[in-house]
Amino acid sequence: MSSLSATAAPPSTPQPQQGLRRDAFFDNAKYLAIVLVAVGHAWEPLRDGSRTVSALYMLVYAFHMPAFIVVAGYHSRSFDGSEKRVGRLLTGVVLPYVVFETAYTLFTRWTDGVPDRPVTLLEPLYLTWFLAALFVWRLTTPLWRLVRWPVPIALVVAVLASVSPSLGEDLDLQRTLQFLPYFVLGLCLRPEHFRLVRRRRVRMLAVPVFAGALAVAYWAVPRMTSAWFYHRDSAQELGAPAWYGPLVTLALFGSSLLLVACFLSWVPGRRTWFTSLGAATLYGYLLHGFVAQVSKYWGWYDPDWLYRPFGAVVVTGVAAVVVTVLCTAPVRRVFRWTVEPKLDRAFRPVRREVQRSR
């Protein structure tokens, strides 16, 4: 599988309101999840030679993207379509999408040897699909806050998408719709739900759950394709009967949420050395893809020892270190203009509505 087709689990980077302290729990969760994203990409070239690495890869992909999307939905609850919120959506999502969609297209012309790859904003390339999806999800937030049964309705939408190969690749709509239930679920969650999964009993149960999930993944490696976890194709496009789509969509939704709960149960709620890095995971997410691309182009995976257990450990450690560095303050200062552009002068002042007294 090419690196451009692999699904990445991008981080959400909700901006806190002025005067409010960031929640260390969510920053910790985002940092740990972005490390899993980078590690998953680093494991890709090693999967063909190791069933164990393939099982770990499948396990990680079963929950790290749903975790990101649930958190993104949770932090999108305040989106009401107001001028201020739409302005933030444009500067925090749309502009980075345009910049990195263009940058990745030009960069992969070189690394993939495709000099005529067109620059198009309608077909998200590589990591940029999440920004396009987040734009669509947030625009529909007021709708999901209005309907009576948001999560069941979103599941119906995902099921229908899983049997609709005609959706095409515009804005990666297939993936946007299939991952929609996780975002809508995040919109419906409250702080007490996250406190519930962080109880000691849940942390204890998470150990056998993850062990069992790894065993299932090991069994499934030769029996199913990991492309089901990317949600970018319909059942028919994956060579399966149409009725597989609804079945797999619902099964993955249930199992992924279970693993998300187990993952979150082990996320520390206190401030740690990496808490501040969790506020900058969008940098790590968008920038580490360039390292992943160039590593394959320059033959970093050519040595045979990398395909042994020690090599897999080294690759894992290097990936974790690289993405950690990309979340640090010096890197943020250099790339802030692309990831968090300040374009206040491009927008008119937000009008304040004055209530008329009767």
Side-chain angles (χ1 to χ4, degrees):
M1 181 181 60
S2 70
S3 59
L4 288 182
S5 64
T7 300
S12 60
T13 56
Q15 298 297 324
Q17 298 178 2
Q18 287 289 344
L20 295 182
R21 184 178 180 181
R22 295 188 66 100
D23 191 325
F25 169 75
F26 289 108
D27 283 340
N28 292 338
K30 288 188 291 181
Y31 168 77
L32 295 174
I34 195 61
V35 169
L36 292 177
V37 172
V39 169
H41 280 152
W43 283 344
E44 280 186 38
L46 308 180
R47 289 189 299 151
D48 291 339
S50 173
R51 185 172 177 178
T52 300
V53 172
S54 296
L56 289 169
Y57 178 92
M58 189 175 292
L59 173 63
V60 166
Y61 269 74
F63 74 89
H64 72 349
M65 181 177 314
F68 269 128
I69 298 174
V70 167
V71 173
Y74 178 75
H75 285 101
S76 299
R77 295 172 301 160
S78 61
F79 186 86
D80 54 6
S82 64
E83 295 177 7
K84 183 178 180 180
R85 301 291 182 185
V86 172
R88 289 181 177 177
L89 185 63
L90 291 176
T91 57
V93 177
V94 175
L95 287 179
Y97 171 75
V98 172
V99 170
F100 281 91
E101 173 70 13
T102 303
Y104 271 117
T105 300
L106 298 178
F107 192 75
T108 56
R109 284 181 179 179
W110 167 55
T111 58
D112 287 352
V114 186
D116 58 345
R117 174 168 284 160
V119 177
T120 172
L121 300 181
L122 293 180
E123 297 181 9
L125 181 69
Y126 199 23
L127 305 176
T128 59
W129 76 267
F130 182 79
L131 295 178
L134 185 59
F135 174 73
V136 175
W137 291 334
R138 282 194 174 161
L139 282 182
T140 63
T141 293
L143 170 65
W144 299 112
R145 303 289 290 176
L146 179 65
V147 298
R148 189 182 296 272
W149 302 290
V151 175
I153 294 175
L155 276 172
V156 170
V157 172
V159 165
L160 292 176
S162 71
V163 294
S164 303
S166 60
L167 282 177
E169 298 181 357
D170 289 350
L171 292 182
D172 220 337
L173 191 59
Q174 182 70 253
R175 192 148 42 182
T176 299
L177 297 181
Q178 288 198 37
F179 276 116
L180 176 63
Y182 301 99
F183 181 82
V184 174
L185 176 65
L187 290 174
C188 300
L189 294 178
R190 297 187 297 274
E192 53 265 29
H193 293 129
F194 291 96
R195 290 195 294 267
L196 183 65
V197 300
R198 293 162 61 190
R199 295 186 303 176
R200 178 179 176 83
R201 176 179 296 182
V202 179
R203 288 198 299 270
M204 297 294 291
L205 291 174
V207 176
V209 169
F210 268 119
L214 180 59
V216 172
Y218 190 85
W219 171 85
V221 166
R223 295 174 172 84
M224 69 174 292
T225 172
S226 58
W228 285 106
F229 297 100
Y230 307 152
H231 295 285
R232 68 168 183 263
D233 300 301
S234 65
Q236 297 94 316
E237 291 171 308
L238 293 176
W243 63 269
Y244 269 48
L247 181 64
V248 174
T249 298
L250 295 176
L252 288 182
F253 183 73
S255 58
S256 295
L257 288 186
L258 177 62
L259 293 175
V260 168
C262 293
F263 167 71
L264 293 177
S265 71
W266 281 98
V267 173
R270 66 185 185 281
R271 291 194 62 82
T272 66
W273 65 268
F274 55 79
T275 300
S276 60
L277 301 177
T281 47
L282 189 58
Y283 290 82
Y285 171 70
L286 291 173
L287 295 173
H288 89 278
F290 294 103
V291 181
Q293 286 291 309
V294 80
S295 68
K296 298 164 188 176
Y297 180 79
W298 282 343
W300 294 357
Y301 286 91
D302 291 346
D304 293 337
W305 65 271
L306 288 177
Y307 298 86
R308 303 188 184 101
F310 177 72
V313 172
V314 171
V315 169
T316 301
V318 170
V321 170
V322 168
V323 77
T324 298
V325 170
L326 293 177
C327 293
T328 57
V331 175
R332 294 176 69 178
R333 285 193 291 269
V334 173
F335 292 98
R336 190 182 302 275
W337 65 277
T338 61
V339 180
E340 297 178 287
K342 300 296 184 182
L343 298 176
D344 295 340
R345 293 184 179 180
F347 301 107
R348 292 179 300 177
V350 177
R351 294 172 297 178
R352 296 182 178 179
E353 296 183 0
V354 178
Q355 296 183 350
R356 297 181 178 179
S357 58
R358 296 184 178 180

